[in-house]
Amino acid sequence: MSAAPASHAFFEGSYLGDRARLAPTARLECKVCWHVYDPAEGCETWQIPAGTPFTALPEHWRCPVCDGARDQFMVLDGGTPDLPAITPPVAVDPHLDAQLKDMPGRFEAVFREIHSAKMKGVPFVNESLGVKAVGFRAHDGRALGVLVTPWFMNLVLLPGAQDDWSGLRTGDKELIAFPSGTYEFLAANRPETGPYKACSLFSPMFDFSSMLQAVETAAAVLPALFDAANREEGTRSGEIRRRAEEEAATLAQAEAAALASEEPAPRPAGPSPEMSRRAVILGPRAAQSVAPEGPQDGIA
């Protein structure tokens, strides 16, 4: 009987879930999007330092491109034999690890209850959709993900162990910078989840005909959010970002002047549909295919 082709070793499960079978230098490839995790490079998105083997990645690590689970990675090759000393396993932040495990389920439970108790029959609710927390991952010591409901899709940012957000008032605004641009988040606080910050991507949700379509869009948001190419100057997304930041600066100057004169601050006209956050994140084609954002009901 002839030997099995060597390529069989590259299929999913070739290390049978036994990490001891993986060399510290082994490179693995996501079977969904073909992203390669190379220990020699680490993972910038998840802030994993170079020299970290696949076996030492934290349990909450997922594919930085498609958000696929780590068990969806296949052994590609043995990597670089002369890789410098491998770093010890990445330290796990217990607070962050607990958030990544527990908070997606909490948000889903809370907003399913809101949907069934308060939002049934409301005109701006797309009843063909459900509630799903998508792609929660670590970012600067905080948990970040996307929450999909029948009436909105939001980025959700949770406090890190170093943060005290107990004094935040619902509706407080904050501009937060990401590689693709700067986005406005609103503070929220619920007994079941505690304080968090949310950035509206879509509201209402009638642009989506199925939950699959909505979830696929949500899964595409985070990789695009961390893609600096979306903020290149000279592109339409760069122009959108520039105009949005100018509007924020104008508002700040007006409010400062009003405080100085003890007069109410005149607010500039609201942003045009061109300046929507989803246009910056998902690109101009996505912006052209959807209607302007509506009321941000339910983000708090």
Side-chain angles (χ1 to χ4, degrees):
M1 182 180 295
S2 60
S7 60
H8 284 189
F10 298 161
F11 292 152
E12 177 189 12
S14 58
Y15 66 100
L16 302 178
D18 181 0
R19 297 185 181 184
R21 292 171 176 254
L22 288 177
T25 57
R27 299 193 312 153
L28 285 88
E29 181 179 64
C30 177
K31 76 168 190 178
V32 178
C33 69
W34 304 292
H35 169 73
V36 174
Y37 177 78
D38 186 347
E41 299 178 359
C43 179
E44 183 178 357
T45 299
W46 284 87
Q47 300 170 10
I48 304 297
T52 303
F54 190 83
T55 56
L57 294 173
E59 291 298 327
H60 57 254
W61 184 88
R62 300 176 70 86
C63 177
V65 175
C66 71
D67 198 48
R70 57 188 299 156
D71 60 6
Q72 300 299 304
F73 276 69
M74 307 176 290
V75 177
L76 184 63
D77 57 41
T80 307
D82 56 350
L83 185 69
I86 299 295
T87 61
V90 177
V92 174
D93 177 343
H95 174 84
L96 179 59
D97 193 52
Q99 283 188 329
L100 292 170
K101 290 178 180 177
D102 300 337
M103 294 306 290
R106 287 196 195 183
F107 274 98
E108 289 178 353
V110 168
F111 281 89
R112 283 176 183 144
E113 175 62 25
I114 293 172
H115 182 211
S116 61
K118 300 179 180 179
M119 305 300 289
K120 286 290 186 182
V122 176
F124 57 80
V125 172
N126 183 347
E127 295 294 354
S128 66
L129 305 181
V131 175
K132 181 69 175 177
V134 180
F136 275 71
R137 63 178 64 185
H139 172 62
D140 284 344
R142 302 183 178 98
L144 174 72
V146 181
L147 181 63
V148 176
T149 78
W151 61 100
F152 70 74
M153 182 188 298
N154 288 349
L155 283 169
V156 173
L157 183 67
L158 301 175
Q162 75 280 8
D163 298 320
D164 180 7
W165 289 2
S166 59
L168 290 178
R169 298 174 301 175
T170 297
D172 282 352
K173 297 180 180 181
E174 180 181 358
L175 293 176
I176 300 179
F178 291 90
S180 61
T182 301
Y183 305 92
E184 182 181 84
F185 283 71
L186 302 184
N189 196 337
R190 293 188 179 278
E192 304 89 344
T193 63
Y196 61 95
K197 298 175 183 178
C199 173
S200 177
L201 299 173
F202 293 87
S203 179
M205 295 286 284
F206 293 114
D207 300 302
F208 300 99
S209 58
S210 70
M211 191 61 179
L212 176 61
Q213 182 188 18
V215 169
E216 286 179 343
T217 300
V221 164
L222 289 174
L225 186 69
F226 293 101
D227 186 353
N230 287 335
R231 67 180 294 157
E232 288 179 357
E233 300 302 334
T235 65
R236 185 171 182 274
S237 58
E239 176 65 13
I240 293 169
R241 176 184 59 81
R242 182 187 65 77
R243 290 173 58 188
E245 291 174 347
E246 286 179 351
E247 183 200 13
T250 299
L251 176 59
Q253 292 171 358
E255 289 176 340
L259 286 175
S261 62
E262 297 185 352
E263 295 179 357
R267 298 184 65 89
S272 70
E274 285 188 325
M275 296 169 59
S276 68
R277 288 168 291 280
R278 60 176 171 268
V280 181
I281 295 175
L282 299 176
R285 189 168 298 176
Q288 294 168 355
S289 65
V290 295
E293 294 178 19
Q296 298 181 17
D297 303 80
I299 70 166

